[in-house]
Structure formats: C-alpha cells, structure tokens
Amino acid sequence: MFEFDQYLGFLAFLTILTIGFWLMIFLLTFVIPYWIIGANLENFKMRREAKRQAKQA
C-alpha cells in the first residue's frame, strides 16, 4: 500500500488536477465568451461611430 509521502504526493496530484479542471471549465464557460462578446461589441461600436463620422464629413 501507500507510504505517507506517497499519499501526500497523490493528494497533491489530485489537488492540482482538480484545480486545473475547474479552471478550464471557468475559462471555457465565462472568461473566453465574455472576452469574445466584449471584443465584438467594441468593434460594432467603432464601426457605427465610423459611419457617423463619414456621414457628417
């Protein structure tokens, strides 16, 4: 069976694996969509402002 240091290493491995898994889930479901939607909104606002400037000139 496991000795104590092997048990601690196994727990450390499981902890790092779990943290990485939840970080990946968080990034894929919140951060990346937020970033993409924000960039698209910013581009839309810039194009709309450019059209306004073109009409005024």
Side-chain angles (χ1 to χ4, degrees):
M1 205 58 201
F2 285 128
E3 291 184 20
F4 188 68
D5 58 343
Q6 290 176 323
Y7 179 69
L8 286 179
F10 181 69
L11 284 180
F13 169 74
L14 285 182
T15 303
I16 293 168
L17 183 74
T18 304
I19 289 171
F21 173 76
W22 287 114
L23 177 64
M24 183 184 68
I25 295 297
F26 174 70
L27 289 174
L28 290 175
T29 59
F30 179 72
V31 174
I32 293 175
Y34 181 80
W35 177 43
I36 291 171
I37 291 169
N40 287 337
L41 286 175
E42 181 118 7
N43 284 337
F44 175 72
K45 289 178 183 178
M46 290 175 65
R47 288 180 189 159
R48 190 171 61 185
E49 186 62 30
K51 285 182 182 179
R52 286 185 186 166
Q53 293 294 330
K55 285 182 182 179
Q56 289 178 358

